[in-house]
Amino acid sequence: MMKHSSMFLSPISDWNRSNYGRLLDYLEATEITALAIDTETSGVEFNDQAFCVSMAWRDGHGRLCSTYTELERDYDGAGRAAATAICKHAERWVFHNSKFDLQKLILGGVINRDSVEFDRFEDTEGLYYIHDMLGRKALKYLAKTLLKLETTEDETLTKVRKKLKKKKKDGYTVLPRSAIIPYAIKDAEYTLLLYEYLLLLYEKERDEVDWAVYTREKHITCTLLDMEAQGIGVNYK
């Protein structure tokens, strides 16, 4: 059975200056080798901001820990500071579609571009690609088919949208945080669990050529981050 710790499973109001200090004490005593990170955003365009960050990791006892950090309503800056502290402390970051989340974390001031190197992060979407190039790569689909987990979060949000008379195209920011928080946290937890599963799978298959391709993809991700940030000059004349 999966062990779970909710020590820092934090509602919006929980991040304040007091428990930010408690978090720093926790990090000093805890090694985080792999930190799964997921962002929820106001949209998918370059300048659309992340309004929250969810994270998941294993503590020293192997328990699954997770947290939700509010960015949009982070009025005293404690939430963003907490997310930054956890990111800095972690040895490695894990994403599902790393380029998207990395860009949103940089845009939101949670991390800076200088901290992003190809060997600092992993991408479960890319890891699955070297296992099955043609397979479907959606996170919840993989959590359901590979990890055999119940993934009902999308159905829950659909019910909330119906009740509020909202559509999916209206985005996540129109939904109450009481619905968003469990959804966001599950995405981070699924990402970490999928990463652990895919690492074991790779150990069995051990194809160095595929791993080289995956590593090159991470190099390309770093290049694309810079290209998008710089933009492309257009001469209209």
Side-chain angles (χ1 to χ4, degrees):
M1 178 178 290
M2 182 172 61
K3 299 177 181 178
H4 189 275
S5 169
S6 58
M7 177 179 291
F8 288 103
L9 190 61
S10 305
I12 304 164
S13 59
D14 274 8
W15 286 120
N16 51 50
R17 293 301 174 185
S18 174
N19 63 16
Y20 174 66
R22 185 164 61 94
L23 170 65
L24 296 182
D25 292 338
Y26 171 83
L27 292 177
E28 187 174 347
T30 305
E31 181 181 6
I32 300 178
T33 56
L35 176 71
I37 308 172
D38 183 66
T39 61
E40 303 300 339
T41 65
S42 58
V44 296
E45 298 298 327
F46 181 84
N47 288 315
D48 290 331
Q49 296 272 352
F51 63 85
C52 73
V53 180
S54 55
M55 302 178 179
W57 66 93
R58 297 278 184 189
D59 68 9
H61 302 285
R63 292 174 298 191
L64 182 63
C65 305
S66 49
T67 187
Y68 171 94
T69 301
E70 179 71 26
L71 299 180
E72 185 178 57
R73 302 174 186 176
D74 180 34
Y75 303 119
D76 66 355
R80 185 173 275 95
T84 298
I86 299 172
C87 286
K88 284 184 176 179
H89 182 72
E91 179 182 327
R92 185 157 300 202
W93 305 326
V94 183
F95 303 96
H96 193 79
N97 185 2
S98 57
K99 188 176 75 65
F100 181 84
D101 290 309
L102 283 168
Q103 190 266 326
K104 297 308 175 190
L105 292 172
I106 294 169
L107 184 66
V110 176
I111 63 174
N112 58 63
R113 173 62 183 88
D114 292 340
S115 66
V116 180
E117 299 290 346
F118 81 95
D119 55 355
R120 181 73 190 274
F121 69 92
E122 305 291 353
D123 190 324
T124 50
E125 193 175 54
L127 278 173
Y128 184 71
Y129 176 81
I130 65 175
H131 169 68
D132 182 359
M133 294 187 197
L134 301 179
R136 185 179 171 189
K137 300 171 186 65
L139 176 61
K140 290 184 176 63
Y141 173 80
L142 295 178
K144 187 173 184 178
T145 56
L146 295 183
L147 306 178
K148 310 303 180 186
L149 296 174
E150 292 293 328
T151 58
T152 60
E153 294 76 30
D154 283 330
E155 290 80 356
T156 299
L157 290 191
T158 298
K159 292 177 182 178
V160 173
R161 287 190 185 99
K162 185 175 181 180
K163 184 176 180 180
L164 297 175
K165 297 181 180 179
K166 301 292 183 181
K167 296 182 180 180
K168 193 170 184 179
K169 67 180 181 179
D170 295 324
Y172 292 115
T173 54
V174 299
L175 302 178
R177 292 302 197 262
S178 58
I180 290 296
I181 291 173
Y183 176 91
I185 287 174
K186 280 298 181 183
D187 274 0
E189 292 180 350
Y190 292 155
T191 300
L192 182 64
L193 296 172
L194 183 59
Y195 174 63
E196 294 171 344
Y197 176 92
L198 291 173
L199 279 187
L200 290 175
L201 192 63
Y202 171 72
E203 287 297 323
K204 293 179 181 178
E205 297 179 347
R206 199 44 101 164
D207 189 318
E208 298 299 333
V209 173
D210 283 345
W211 191 259
V213 171
Y214 168 68
T215 302
R216 177 54 62 92
E217 287 293 323
K218 293 198 293 176
H219 279 282
I220 293 172
T221 293
C222 294
T223 300
L224 290 175
L225 283 173
D226 293 333
M227 289 175 63
E228 284 186 342
Q230 182 176 344
I232 299 174
V234 177
N235 187 345
Y236 288 98
K237 295 181 180 180

Coordinates of all heavy atoms in Angstrom, one line a residue, residues 140 144 150-162 183:
K140 N -3.0 11.3 -16.9 CA -4.0 10.5 -16.2 C -4.2 9.1 -16.9 O -4.5 8.1 -16.3 CB -5.3 11.3 -16.1 CG -5.1 12.4 -15.1 CD -6.4 13.1 -14.8 CE -6.2 14.2 -13.8 NZ -5.3 15.2 -14.2
K144 N -3.6 5.6 -15.1 CA -4.7 4.5 -15.0 C -4.3 3.2 -15.7 O -4.5 2.2 -15.1 CB -5.9 5.1 -15.8 CG -7.2 4.2 -15.7 CD -8.4 4.8 -16.3 CE -9.6 4.0 -16.1 NZ -10.8 4.7 -16.6
E150 N -7.1 4.8 -9.8 CA -8.3 5.4 -10.1 C -8.1 6.9 -10.3 O -7.6 7.6 -9.5 CB -9.3 5.2 -9.0 CG -9.8 3.7 -8.8 CD -10.6 3.2 -9.9 OE1 -11.3 4.0 -10.5 OE2 -10.5 2.0 -10.3
T151 N -8.5 7.4 -11.5 CA -8.3 8.8 -11.8 C -9.6 9.4 -12.1 O -10.1 9.4 -13.3 CB -7.3 8.9 -13.1 OG1 -7.9 8.2 -14.2 CG2 -6.0 8.3 -12.7
T152 N -10.2 9.9 -11.1 CA -11.6 10.5 -11.2 C -11.6 12.0 -11.2 O -12.7 12.6 -11.1 CB -12.5 9.9 -10.1 OG1 -11.9 10.3 -8.8 CG2 -12.6 8.4 -10.2
E153 N -10.4 12.6 -11.2 CA -10.4 14.1 -11.0 C -11.0 14.9 -12.1 O -11.7 15.9 -11.9 CB -8.9 14.5 -10.8 CG -8.2 14.0 -9.6 CD -7.8 12.6 -9.7 OE1 -7.5 12.1 -10.9 OE2 -7.8 11.9 -8.7
D154 N -10.8 14.4 -13.4 CA -11.5 15.1 -14.5 C -13.0 15.0 -14.4 O -13.7 16.0 -14.7 CB -11.0 14.5 -15.8 CG -9.6 14.9 -16.2 OD1 -9.2 16.1 -15.8 OD2 -8.8 14.1 -16.8
E155 N -13.5 13.9 -14.0 CA -14.9 13.8 -13.9 C -15.5 14.7 -12.8 O -16.6 15.3 -12.9 CB -15.3 12.3 -13.5 CG -15.1 11.3 -14.7 CD -13.6 10.9 -14.8 OE1 -12.8 11.4 -14.1 OE2 -13.4 10.0 -15.7
T156 N -14.7 14.8 -11.7 CA -15.1 15.7 -10.6 C -15.2 17.2 -11.1 O -16.1 17.9 -10.8 CB -14.1 15.6 -9.4 OG1 -14.1 14.3 -8.9 CG2 -14.5 16.6 -8.3
L157 N -14.2 17.6 -11.9 CA -14.2 19.0 -12.4 C -15.3 19.2 -13.4 O -15.9 20.3 -13.4 CB -12.8 19.3 -13.0 CG -11.6 19.4 -12.1 CD1 -10.4 20.0 -12.9 CD2 -11.9 20.3 -10.9
T158 N -15.6 18.1 -14.1 CA -16.8 18.2 -15.1 C -18.1 18.5 -14.3 O -18.9 19.3 -14.8 CB -16.9 17.0 -15.9 OG1 -15.7 16.8 -16.7 CG2 -18.1 17.0 -16.8
K159 N -18.3 17.8 -13.2 CA -19.5 18.0 -12.4 C -19.5 19.5 -11.8 O -20.5 20.1 -11.8 CB -19.5 17.0 -11.3 CG -19.7 15.6 -11.8 CD -19.7 14.6 -10.6 CE -19.9 13.2 -11.1 NZ -19.8 12.2 -9.9
V160 N -18.3 19.9 -11.4 CA -18.3 21.3 -10.8 C -18.6 22.3 -11.9 O -19.3 23.3 -11.7 CB -16.9 21.6 -10.2 CG1 -16.7 23.0 -9.8 CG2 -16.6 20.6 -9.0
R161 N -18.0 22.1 -13.1 CA -18.3 23.1 -14.2 C -19.8 23.1 -14.6 O -20.4 24.1 -14.8 CB -17.5 22.6 -15.5 CG -16.0 22.9 -15.4 CD -15.4 22.7 -16.7 NE -13.9 22.9 -16.7 CZ -13.1 21.8 -16.6 NH1 -13.5 20.6 -16.6 NH2 -11.8 22.1 -16.5
K162 N -20.4 21.9 -14.6 CA -21.8 21.8 -14.9 C -22.7 22.5 -13.9 O -23.6 23.3 -14.2 CB -22.2 20.3 -15.0 CG -23.7 20.1 -15.4 CD -24.0 18.6 -15.6 CE -25.4 18.4 -16.1 NZ -25.7 17.0 -16.2
Y183 N -7.2 18.2 -7.5 CA -6.9 17.9 -8.9 C -5.4 18.2 -9.1 O -4.7 17.4 -9.7 CB -7.7 18.8 -9.8 CG -7.4 18.7 -11.2 CD1 -8.1 17.8 -12.0 CD2 -6.5 19.5 -11.9 CE1 -7.8 17.7 -13.4 CE2 -6.2 19.4 -13.2 CZ -6.9 18.5 -14.0 OH -6.6 18.4 -15.3

